[in-house]
Amino acid sequence: MGSGAIRSGAVALVAIKAKLAAFALALTAVLAGAVAFLAASAGPAEALPSYARQTGQPCAACHTAYPELTPFGRRFKIGGYTMQSGDWTGPPVAAMFMAGFTHTNSPFDEGSQPAGLHTNDNLVWQQVSGFVAGRLYGNLGSFIQITGNPVDGTVALDASDIRYADTFKLFGQDTIWGIDANNTPTVEDPWNTTPSFGWPQISSTIAPAFGPPLTHIENGYGQIVGGAGAYLFWNDMLYADFTAYKGFPVPVLQAFNDGNSTTDAVSNVAPYWRLALEPHWGQHYLMVGTFGMYGQVVPGRQYGFGTDNYLDVGFDSQYQYDGDQYSVTVKLTDIMEWQQLNATYGLGGSSNIDNHLNSFKANASFVWDHTYSLGFGYFNISGSNDCNLYGSGDNVLCTPAAIGEFNNSYNSSPNGDGLILDLAYIPFAHGAPGPYGYTTWNARIGIQFTEYLHLYGGSNNFDGSYLGGTHNAAGNNSVFAYAWVAF
């Protein structure tokens, strides 16, 4: 072996050691911060997780590894968050914070990173939330979340829902019926296969530098609409929901700090539907279902060009073994979206009026004693080639009218896929130290690895820029260490 190769190998080894050292230090900082916070939170009674104190149950009753729901947890949600057997009579309030350290294979291009952050290796408090969550009065319950983002200095109303639920007999079988109002389609759903609470429920808010586009039901309606609807859960097996959504006017968006006069407007009464069947045998639960939504959107509130029309149809399935010692959950979700981009085409933002996009996710998790969690998943995005929508401008055969968030593909393609591995430790699922036990707090401390196999139709140099780094799919691979604490 030549001396040049030896020197190259030595340099690479030093770089690897430096990255491992940086990661180890950051993980230590995250864990230390979490422990310090928990120690400081041991005293006051008002720092109780609201659902645990209301039900008198440990977090393990509702969650395999929080926030993934067990069969009992799903039925608690369907029942309107109102089941009560604890002795707490105060307000249903709680709080949560998330700290995270993110390392990516390649740093951000200088100047492209979020304001105030480094181009790599960032340790941040990425979310702080307060909740009104639990029984409000009688059969009325809520999951209302106000979230602060310390990275960009904002506070806003997050995905929330309020519901009323009761029971009756239908065809001789016990049936739960309810009405629900919420501001994010799928937040009302009791399974973790739909977008709002789909796996992984926590991820870095910093990485990746280049992320694939998503369907509108995954990333287009959240907190900019309000909806009301009704649902049924018949014979502990069949679930049906129908909700109608309407876009919030600008004053409401500004009041909730969720948008402004350039935020997309949903102009129609947008229907959302959900149907799921969950037969079960002992501790084995199998769900198959479908959901969807049709929305007419005015992009950026630029009127006069018609609307972009999105039809999303999803199919999902979940198998869950909910044992006393361990649980296994396997989930599949496929969302097909048909796009009629009248307004975006008229504004020069797309080359095609009619496009399609498909989002597929498969993941499985194994949780031992509600304490140790291992999750693995695959995701895939595919769809129509569109120069103006996805083209990077580095291909002489494609010159987009403007460069937007997703103009990152030399091939004008949205296609991408990747893998996620998540390892987590949930120390207080069965109880926590201190005078209030499991009703005081819970925590999830973990590490997550994300690998991008392809982005925007390519693996290397997907945008044709020859800049390397994050302009290769693997350059966006990340290690994310996190501490998620609820109290």
Side-chain angles (χ1 to χ4, degrees):
M1 179 182 296
S3 59
I6 293 173
R7 284 193 299 272
S8 177
V11 171
L13 182 59
V14 170
I16 291 172
K17 288 181 177 178
K19 289 180 179 180
L20 289 175
F23 166 71
L25 288 172
L27 180 58
T28 301
V30 169
L31 297 179
V35 171
F37 187 90
L38 293 175
S41 301
E46 59 269 16
L48 307 180
S50 55
Y51 292 144
R53 72 185 179 212
Q54 174 183 302
T55 63
Q57 299 291 321
C59 295
C62 284
H63 302 285
T64 58
Y66 99 95
E68 289 267 351
L69 292 177
T70 62
F72 177 82
R74 290 191 289 277
R75 283 146 184 82
F76 173 73
K77 183 173 183 176
I78 292 170
Y81 311 110
T82 57
M83 189 192 81
Q84 189 167 18
S85 58
D87 56 5
W88 173 255
T89 58
V93 294
M96 175 183 77
F97 82 94
M98 299 179 186
F101 166 77
T102 303
H103 169 81
T104 53
N105 269 10
S106 299
F108 280 88
D109 296 339
E110 188 65 47
S112 68
Q113 74 271 25
L117 299 184
H118 306 295
T119 57
N120 208 344
D121 298 332
N122 286 285
L123 176 63
V124 300
W125 305 105
Q126 69 174 40
Q127 181 176 328
V128 179
S129 294
F131 300 87
V132 178
R135 183 174 179 263
L136 299 177
Y137 181 80
N139 292 352
L140 184 68
S142 70
F143 175 86
I144 301 172
Q145 181 177 2
I146 307 294
T147 293
N149 183 340
V151 174
D152 60 19
T154 60
V155 178
L157 178 66
D158 210 332
S160 303
D161 80 306
I162 300 174
R163 58 181 67 201
Y164 176 94
D166 207 343
T167 60
F168 73 112
K169 291 282 187 178
L170 181 64
F171 303 121
Q173 302 297 330
D174 291 334
T175 303
I176 300 174
W177 69 274
I179 54 176
D180 180 274
N182 68 78
N183 67 343
T184 300
T186 76
V187 72
E188 66 267 48
D189 199 74
W191 285 274
N192 294 111
T193 49
T194 54
S196 285
F197 290 110
W199 187 91
Q201 288 84 9
I202 184 172
S203 57
S204 174
T205 56
I206 300 171
F210 295 95
L214 296 173
T215 61
H216 224 67
I217 198 171
E218 292 175 289
N219 197 39
Y221 298 113
Q223 294 93 65
I224 69 168
V225 296
Y231 64 89
L232 289 173
F233 188 48
W234 178 77
N235 195 27
D236 200 38
M237 181 173 62
L238 180 64
Y239 178 84
D241 170 45
F242 181 84
T243 303
Y245 290 92
K246 192 74 174 68
F248 284 137
V250 172
V252 175
L253 292 173
Q254 292 174 329
F256 292 151
N257 206 24
D258 283 322
N260 51 44
S261 59
T262 63
T263 300
D264 290 354
V266 179
S267 63
N268 69 321
V269 177
Y272 167 81
W273 62 91
R274 173 63 155 143
L275 187 66
L277 183 67
E278 187 183 59
H280 45 90
W281 305 268
Q283 295 172 310
H284 299 269
Y285 291 75
L286 177 64
M287 183 276 292
V288 291
T290 183
F291 59 95
M293 187 167 178
Y294 175 71
Q296 296 177 340
V297 177
V298 181
R301 280 183 157 76
Q302 299 180 75
Y303 296 95
F305 297 90
T307 61
D308 290 344
N309 304 330
Y310 297 92
L311 174 62
D312 292 274
V313 179
F315 296 93
D316 60 329
S317 181
Q318 173 177 293
Y319 164 76
Q320 187 172 67
Y321 170 73
D322 183 41
D324 294 331
Q325 189 63 60
Y326 67 91
S327 65
V328 176
T329 307
V330 180
K331 303 188 290 294
L332 299 173
T333 305
D334 190 55
I335 301 173
M336 298 172 288
E337 180 175 85
W338 290 269
Q339 307 169 347
Q340 189 179 53
L341 305 178
N342 304 302
T344 297
Y345 180 83
L347 291 163
S350 69
S351 300
N352 308 323
I353 292 180
D354 296 312
N355 279 339
H356 71 273
L357 197 63
N358 193 92
S359 175
F360 173 78
K361 296 179 180 179
N363 56 79
S365 60
F366 175 84
V367 182
W368 182 265
D369 197 30
H370 299 273
T371 303
Y372 304 97
S373 172
L374 167 65
F376 181 76
Y378 170 76
F379 60 89
N380 181 287
I381 293 287
S382 61
S384 308
N385 285 22
D386 190 303
C387 171
N388 279 356
L389 198 58
Y390 305 120
S392 64
D394 287 304
N395 185 339
V396 295
L397 300 178
C398 168
T399 305
I403 299 297
E405 180 181 0
F406 300 116
N407 287 105
N408 302 313
S409 175
Y410 181 85
N411 298 321
S412 303
S413 169
N415 296 358
D417 63 336
L419 304 167
I420 301 173
L421 173 66
D422 187 274
L423 307 172
Y425 172 53
I426 302 96
F428 307 134
H430 296 289
Y436 304 108
Y438 57 78
T439 62
T440 305
W441 63 70
N442 201 356
R444 179 182 177 121
I445 300 167
I447 183 169
Q448 188 177 110
F449 304 88
T450 302
E451 179 177 0
Y452 290 92
L453 304 175
H454 300 90
L455 277 173
Y456 292 98
S459 53
N460 292 324
N461 192 38
F462 54 77
D463 60 359
S465 67
Y466 294 98
L467 293 175
T470 56
H471 301 265
N472 300 325
N476 294 275
N477 295 352
S478 63
V479 179
F480 175 54
Y482 62 85
W484 184 352
V485 181
F487 56 95

